[in-house]
Amino acid sequence: MTETVVKGVISRAKGEPVEQVDISIPQPGANDVIVKIQACGVCHTDLAYRDGGITDDYPFLLGHEAAGIVETVGEDVTHVSEGDYVVLNWRAVCGECRACRKGEPKYCFDTHNASKKLTLTDTGEELEPALGIGAFAEKTLVHEKQCTKVNPDEDPAAAGLLGCGVMAGLGAAVNTGDIKRGESVAVIGVGGVGMSAVAGAHLAGASTIIAIDISDKKLARAKEEFGATHTINSKGLSDDELIKQVQDLSGGFGTDVVVDAVGVPETYRQAFYLRDLAGRVVLVGVPTPDMNLELPFLDVFARGGSLKSSWYGDCLPERDFPMYVDLHLQGRFPLDKFIDERVGLGDVEEAFATMKGGEVLRSVVELKD
């Protein structure tokens, strides 16, 4: 097999508009596969790559929330076969590192990626794939373990969202937060990830689910579509006023779990005090390197409970992706409701602008035959 040339969307330099260019896919290595991409969500992480918030290893091949069909497999591939319908993941557990050996594969420190790089067709320059995937492209190259087979009846635009944002928020509630039936939950920030946490809390059986945001439109959707029982518009509220409102809605003590889906020091401090004594705080919003957090040390001791960070929703793709696809197909999880618009491969820069406007949960790039 010679190189395959396809269209893909890259970021060449910090803050510059993305470009659609020809990229070359090499022959797969022994455990690599080529996947024909059918749909890929437009995630804040892709924008962070473009704007230099991840690394400076330009040029990047963007896109990572993707579903598609396995087209070509390397000689030693056994995990998937040609024709399999898969969701791509960036936690392809190795099974050998210290986390995996301790029975904690959700923290795998040596996840698999493709053995070769895609390149720019015109110059031969290697591309750095976003989160080891690079799926704003007609086809991409990944390790076989980055492919998770799911029910082929699922819409690729919906299935692909489990590859990052939806799974991050859903898992923050269900896996990291370990929400139990009858518990109370507050979610700060109901963009795509936070809304997924609301939906996850509803799925887990929480009796009180408080969505907190500064957008009335998002708060209405949280209640009408995703399972929130109460909403609070926190714009203009002091921390004390917000705490009082949450306590009033949760028996006077604060919630059992608080999910911070924003990830700035101000919201994390709010999360710390919005919970009941010995409650659980889950951070799933991603801070930037320049941020610092200050809390009274005595309060950290006195409140007990747990302060957790949720990486990829502490998910295991082989366990979780097929399950949530099946729950959606059964009408028990609103995966399709996260899709606000469907766009083409050439519309990624415009989708970034729409995302910055804060009025969509997800734009999804669809690649038609």
Side-chain angles (χ1 to χ4, degrees):
M1 172 185 168
T2 59
E3 288 187 344
T4 300
V5 177
V6 299
K7 296 292 184 183
V9 174
I10 68 164
S11 172
R12 288 188 191 270
K14 182 177 180 178
E16 291 187 2
V18 300
E19 302 173 43
Q20 183 174 297
V21 299
D22 288 337
I23 61 175
S24 296
I25 303 176
Q27 182 175 350
N31 293 104
D32 298 336
V33 302
I34 294 176
V35 177
K36 182 178 181 180
I37 303 299
Q38 294 179 308
C40 183
V42 181
C43 178
H44 282 82
T45 302
D46 293 304
L47 181 60
Y49 270 105
R50 194 206 70 172
D51 290 346
I54 307 295
T55 72
D56 59 357
D57 296 329
Y58 296 93
F60 296 112
L61 175 59
L62 301 179
H64 59 279
E65 287 184 346
I69 303 295
V70 175
E71 187 172 85
T72 308
V73 302
E75 61 184 3
D76 292 338
V77 169
T78 59
H79 185 64
V80 291
S81 301
E82 292 177 5
D84 283 345
Y85 176 59
V86 297
V87 175
L88 301 185
N89 74 76
W90 46 270
R91 177 166 285 157
V93 299
C94 72
E96 301 293 336
C97 71
R98 63 190 186 279
C100 290
R101 289 197 303 269
K102 290 191 296 185
E104 294 283 2
K106 65 185 179 184
Y107 298 133
C108 179
F109 300 118
D110 192 22
T111 58
H112 293 297
N113 292 117
S115 63
K116 302 178 181 181
K117 295 286 190 181
L118 282 68
T119 59
L120 291 172
T121 301
D122 58 353
T123 66
E125 187 176 6
E126 289 188 348
L127 293 165
E128 188 65 28
L131 293 180
I133 293 175
F136 285 155
E138 294 168 323
K139 300 176 185 179
T140 195
L141 181 74
V142 294
H143 190 278
E144 61 177 312
K145 291 292 184 70
Q146 290 181 270
C147 298
T148 302
K149 290 185 283 188
V150 299
N151 190 324
D153 292 338
E154 182 61 276
D155 175 6
L161 299 184
L162 288 169
C164 188
V166 168
M167 190 67 250
L170 170 59
V174 176
N175 298 332
T176 317
D178 191 25
I179 294 168
K180 299 175 177 62
R181 288 189 177 278
E183 288 195 312
S184 57
V185 182
V187 178
I188 304 175
V190 286
V193 172
M195 203 74 84
S196 303
V198 169
H202 179 70
L203 185 66
S207 59
T208 300
I209 304 169
I210 306 166
I212 303 168
D213 203 283
I214 59 173
S215 165
D216 285 333
K217 180 179 178 181
K218 289 180 180 178
L219 291 171
R221 291 190 67 183
K223 194 168 186 179
E224 294 166 6
E225 301 179 46
F226 295 97
T229 59
H230 304 83
T231 62
I232 298 174
N233 189 319
S234 58
K235 188 173 183 178
L237 294 181
S238 69
D239 286 354
D240 286 343
E241 289 170 330
L242 180 59
I243 291 167
K244 177 66 165 55
Q245 289 196 31
V246 170
Q247 289 178 339
D248 287 346
L249 294 171
S250 55
F253 301 105
T255 57
D256 297 300
V257 179
V258 183
V259 177
D260 178 5
V262 179
V264 298
E266 293 79 8
T267 56
Y268 192 82
R269 282 195 295 270
Q270 289 173 347
F272 183 85
Y273 290 108
L274 289 178
R275 64 188 171 133
D276 194 357
L277 289 175
R280 285 113 59 202
V281 173
V282 177
L283 174 64
V284 66
V286 182
T288 57
D290 59 315
M291 294 178 181
N292 292 291
L293 175 70
E294 289 188 12
L295 285 170
F297 202 14
L298 182 60
D299 285 1
V300 174
F301 173 79
R303 297 187 71 87
S306 62
L307 308 175
K308 299 182 177 182
S309 297
S310 185
W311 302 342
Y312 207 0
D314 286 341
C315 79
L316 293 175
E318 294 297 312
R319 175 195 67 192
D320 293 336
F321 292 4
M323 175 176 63
Y324 289 114
V325 163
D326 288 346
L327 287 172
H328 174 233
L329 292 174
Q330 295 165 13
R332 297 166 62 191
F333 184 74
L335 185 57
D336 59 312
K337 292 184 179 180
F338 290 92
I339 305 168
D340 283 331
E341 65 171 2
R342 298 170 188 251
V343 301
L345 191 60
D347 301 321
V348 171
E349 187 67 29
E350 184 178 342
F352 282 156
T354 302
M355 177 194 299
K356 286 182 176 180
E359 295 304 314
V360 299
L361 297 180
R362 272 298 183 270
S363 302
V364 177
V365 172
E366 291 188 309
L367 293 98
K368 307 292 187 181
D369 289 331

